[in-house]
Structures are given as structure tokens and as C-alpha cells.
Amino acid sequence: MSYNIVKARYSKTDENGKTKAVTEQYLVDALSCTDAEARVVEEFSPLYPDLQVKSIGDTKITEVFNPDADRFYLAKVGFITIDEKTAVEKRTISQILVGAPDFTNAIEEFNEGMKGTVADFEVVSLAETPIKEFYPAKL
């Protein structure tokens, strides 16, 4: 499985009753880009008949914490290891998507998700993403 970003465009009615075209991003845990596209079409076609999938792409996201949130933050985390042969410190960057209502809670959710991790790590960055929803794998 891999995480794919799907950008979908459709007409949406706002709170003032105006209809406008919007393009939104969704993260889908899928076997392939084709599977990710099918999943978004399945979810949105009944609601938005004018749905168009504009793009699909793989991401470098390795894990998702609190996937049921309304807002998502991308944490770039440097995992620190020591090369046994050269005794040189090496940092490997991983990207983790964290669902939270705001930045402060995103930090708390990240720390909760990392509890029990035995590897040394440091947070390189944490920023809000345009991802609107996460769709886990259908197994």
C-alpha cells in the first residue's frame, strides 16, 4: 500500500447558496494510482456528478496519525541513527500526516503517535496541508 494524493474538481455550493468550482486534495491509502482514483470517484460521484479527477500522485508520507480529523498537518521528522562502521550520525527524513483541529493539537497528536518509539528523532517541520480528507485502505 502507498499513500496517494488525489486532486478532484467539482461544483460546490457555499453557505451563501453560490455554486463554484473547487479543486480539493484527498489522501488515499491505495494499491495503485488507479485504485486511488476509483476510490475518490466512488466516494464523490453520487454527491457531485460533475466530478473530475485532475491529478493523482504518490507521496512520501509513511504514516498517518489521527486520520479522522477535519484538518491535517505534515510533520517532517528526522530519525537519527549511528552508522556502526564509521560512527557517523545519519538523519533520515520521514513524512507523517497528523490530523488535528489546530497546530497545538497537531503537536500533541504527533507526540502521542510517537510514544513508544525507540528511535531518536527530531521534528524538522510541521505545517498545515490542503488535504481535506483521508481514505484508509479497503482490505
Side-chain angles (χ1 to χ4, degrees), residues 7-60:
K7 292 182 183 177
R9 185 170 183 83
Y10 53 89
S11 297
K12 188 175 185 179
T13 306
D14 65 13
E15 59 273 353
N16 297 331
K18 292 184 180 181
T19 302
K20 66 177 187 174
V22 295
T23 302
E24 296 182 331
Q25 293 184 22
Y26 301 93
L27 184 69
V28 183
D29 187 3
L31 294 170
S32 66
C33 289
T34 305
D35 186 33
E37 179 180 17
R39 185 78 186 281
V40 169
V41 169
E42 174 188 326
E43 294 287 337
F44 284 93
S45 287
L47 300 171
Y48 306 104
D50 65 334
L51 175 77
Q52 297 175 321
V53 174
K54 290 298 190 179
S55 69
I56 305 164
D58 291 332
T59 68
K60 294 182 180 181

Side-chain angles (χ1 to χ4, degrees), residues 72-92:
F72 293 94
Y73 296 81
L74 185 65
K76 291 186 181 178
V77 183
F79 287 96
I80 302 162
T81 58
I82 306 286
D83 187 315
E84 293 177 10
K85 295 179 183 176
T86 61
V88 174
E89 191 175 278
K90 181 181 175 187
R91 191 167 82 164
T92 306

Side-chain angles (χ1 to χ4, degrees), residues 57-113:
D58 291 332
T59 68
K60 294 182 180 181
I61 295 171
T62 57
E63 204 166 342
V64 178
F65 296 159
N66 192 24
D68 297 324
D70 292 332
R71 293 168 81 180
F72 293 94
Y73 296 81
L74 185 65
K76 291 186 181 178
V77 183
F79 287 96
I80 302 162
T81 58
I82 306 286
D83 187 315
E84 293 177 10
K85 295 179 183 176
T86 61
V88 174
E89 191 175 278
K90 181 181 175 187
R91 191 167 82 164
T92 306
I93 301 295
S94 290
Q95 295 182 5
I96 299 173
L97 192 71
V98 181
D102 55 41
F103 189 82
T104 304
N105 285 317
I107 294 169
E108 291 172 6
E109 288 290 342
F110 172 79
N111 288 331
E112 183 66 30

